[in-house]
Amino acid sequence: MPAKGDHDARRRDVSEAVWRVLAAHGFGGLTLRAVAAEMGCSTGLLTHYFPNKKALVTHALDIAEERTLQGRLDPSGRGLAALRELITDILPISDVAIEMNRVWVSSWDVALADADLGERETGRYERFRARRLRPFVEQARDLGEIAPDADPDDVATTLVAFAHGLVVQVLFDPDRYPPERQLALLDGMLTALSV
Amino acid sequence: MPAKGDHDARRRDVSEAVWRVLAAHGFGGLTLRAVAAEMGCSTGLLTHYFPNKKALVTHALDIAEERTLQGRLDPSGRGLAALRELITDILPISDVAIEMNRVWVSSWDVALADADLGERETGRYERFRARRLRPFVEQARDLGEIAPDADPDDVATTLVAFAHGLVVQVLFDPDRYPPERQLALLDGMLTALSV
């Protein structure tokens, strides 16, 4: 039992170190050497956990996904109000959200370069649109908040596009887009979609 | 003179090879070794052009910028019609545009990890919003196509957000977003912004 506990504790240490490297340097800076330096251990020890670069990158994406799911919000509102909560929850308006977005935006480079990782991102996007946003888009339509003939998949795609495209602009120019301006832009977008 | 010609021809060969590596593997796959393999030369030869990784990445961004500027469109329409042309010109609706977007999205990883490269991307975004889009947003407002109290910077930010956020979704799911659907989504977005 203690051995098992040690093992789990060590795995958590490794995951923490991987996350700190990611948050500071992105996937381009994620190497066994950087994680080892962060942990103050040898790279040899880490090859036990990560036999190759892809194993390390895959674990990093696992951590990002786990952290994203942990912080996941259940909207309290309905229709557009719920969509506003869900998009607000994505935007880089807190240090934690900035770090998370930085990691996800950085992950697109590795995901575009690898078929398996790309497929995983394709699935994440589709689940987010179809399961997280679409029910509330349909609710907004039923409530008469958006046009009755609006295609829910199109509205979900447009909202995700707006959110992620804003995320990138904010990450590169945080002073220009403080949280209150991000929220005003979101409200403008939701107003534009409203009937 | 022949020496100068040789030198320029070799530089073009190097740039072509860098671009092919970028288009195929992104910035994460951009190494001296990969460029040398693409050219069929030794990495030693390339260190003459690129003394370090940052020099290689910087040159790659130069090429991406040059190619983007070369293909730059002058809108024929006015107001929203011009904005439609400018955003259409960004979207990944052709093989060339898919390659270009793949390279730019991939560049965000290196740009977020390096202060100089990040500043350069900050500047590119601001020039695109302020110089390319904003004049036509103001024209759309003067033409009465969008609300008279719409903030031109906010509209420009929202359009760039929509475009780049759609680009990422398309790159990860091209079958779901064929060109005609991308254009329909753009038209929906422009309609939403219209009065």
Side-chain angles (χ1 to χ4, degrees), chain B residues 34-55:
Chain B
V35 177
E38 185 69 37
M39 291 185 70
C41 73
S42 69
T43 55
L45 181 84
L46 288 177
T47 55
H48 170 66
Y49 295 93
F50 311 116
N52 53 46
K53 179 69 190 267
K54 185 156 172 182

Side-chain angles (χ1 to χ4, degrees), chain A residues 28 106 109 122 129 157 172 177, chain B residues 28 106 109 122 157 169 172 177:
Chain A
S106 150
D109 183 31
T122 306
R129 287 185 301 254
T157 297
F172 282 110
Y177 299 105
Chain B
S106 150
D109 183 31
T122 306
T157 297
Q169 293 179 81
F172 281 111
Y177 299 106

Side-chain angles (χ1 to χ4, degrees), chain B residues 15-96:
Chain B
S15 294
E16 279 297 324
V18 168
W19 184 256
R20 286 195 300 274
V21 170
L22 269 190
H25 308 292
F27 279 83
L30 181 66
T31 59
L32 282 185
R33 194 184 297 186
V35 177
E38 185 69 37
M39 291 185 70
C41 73
S42 69
T43 55
L45 181 84
L46 288 177
T47 55
H48 170 66
Y49 295 93
F50 311 116
N52 53 46
K53 179 69 190 267
K54 185 156 172 182
L56 175 59
V57 168
T58 301
H59 181 66
L61 287 170
D62 287 342
I63 302 171
E65 202 154 292
E66 195 182 313
R67 287 184 174 238
T68 301
L69 289 176
Q70 268 170 10
R72 218 165 87 137
L73 164 121
D74 274 318
S76 59
R78 302 174 68 204
L80 284 183
L83 292 168
R84 186 183 193 280
E85 290 176 66
L86 287 167
I87 303 298
T88 300
D89 195 44
I90 292 177
L91 295 177
I93 55 177
S94 69
D95 289 346
V96 170

Side-chain angles (χ1 to χ4, degrees), chain A residues 27 30 50 52-62 110 117:
Chain A
F27 279 83
L30 182 66
F50 311 116
N52 53 46
K53 179 68 190 269
K54 185 155 173 181
L56 175 59
V57 168
T58 302
H59 181 66
L61 287 170
D62 288 342
V110 292
L117 303 180

Side-chain angles (χ1 to χ4, degrees), chain A residues 97-174:
Chain A
I98 289 168
E99 188 175 271
M100 188 65 82
N101 276 295
R102 195 209 174 300
V103 169
W104 281 119
V105 170
S106 150
S107 79
W108 292 334
D109 183 31
V110 292
L112 284 170
D114 181 286
D116 298 333
L117 303 180
E119 210 172 296
R120 186 168 161 172
E121 185 66 356
T122 306
R124 287 187 65 248
Y125 259 116
E126 180 52 11
R127 284 193 300 280
F128 187 69
R129 287 185 301 254
R131 298 195 199 157
R132 290 281 279 166
L133 297 188
R134 194 189 147 116
F136 296 105
V137 173
E138 289 171 345
Q139 198 173 52
R141 194 187 49 188
D142 296 344
L143 290 167
E145 296 176 325
I146 63 172
D149 61 346
D151 180 301
D153 290 325
D154 283 356
V155 175
T157 297
T158 298
L159 279 171
V160 174
F162 167 80
H164 284 181
L166 182 56
V167 161
V168 177
Q169 293 179 81
V170 174
L171 291 181
F172 282 110
D173 210 344

Side-chain angles (χ1 to χ4, degrees), chain B residues 96-155:
Chain B
V96 170
I98 289 168
E99 188 176 271
M100 188 65 81
N101 276 296
R102 194 209 174 300
V103 169
W104 280 120
V105 170
S106 150
S107 80
W108 292 334
D109 183 31
V110 292
L112 284 170
D114 181 287
D116 298 333
L117 303 181
E119 210 170 296
R120 187 169 159 172
E121 185 67 355
T122 306
R124 287 187 65 246
Y125 260 117
E126 180 52 11
R127 283 193 301 279
F128 187 69
R129 287 184 303 253
R131 299 195 198 156
R132 291 280 279 167
L133 297 187
R134 195 189 146 117
F136 296 105
V137 173
E138 290 171 345
Q139 197 173 54
R141 193 188 51 188
D142 296 343
L143 290 167
E145 295 177 326
I146 63 172
D149 61 347
D151 180 299
D153 289 325
D154 283 357
V155 175

Side-chain angles (χ1 to χ4, degrees), chain A residues 1-14:
Chain A
M1 292 296 280
K4 175 77 167 66
D6 286 356
H7 181 77
D8 288 353
R10 174 52 63 99
R11 270 204 83 82
R12 273 197 304 278
D13 288 349
V14 171

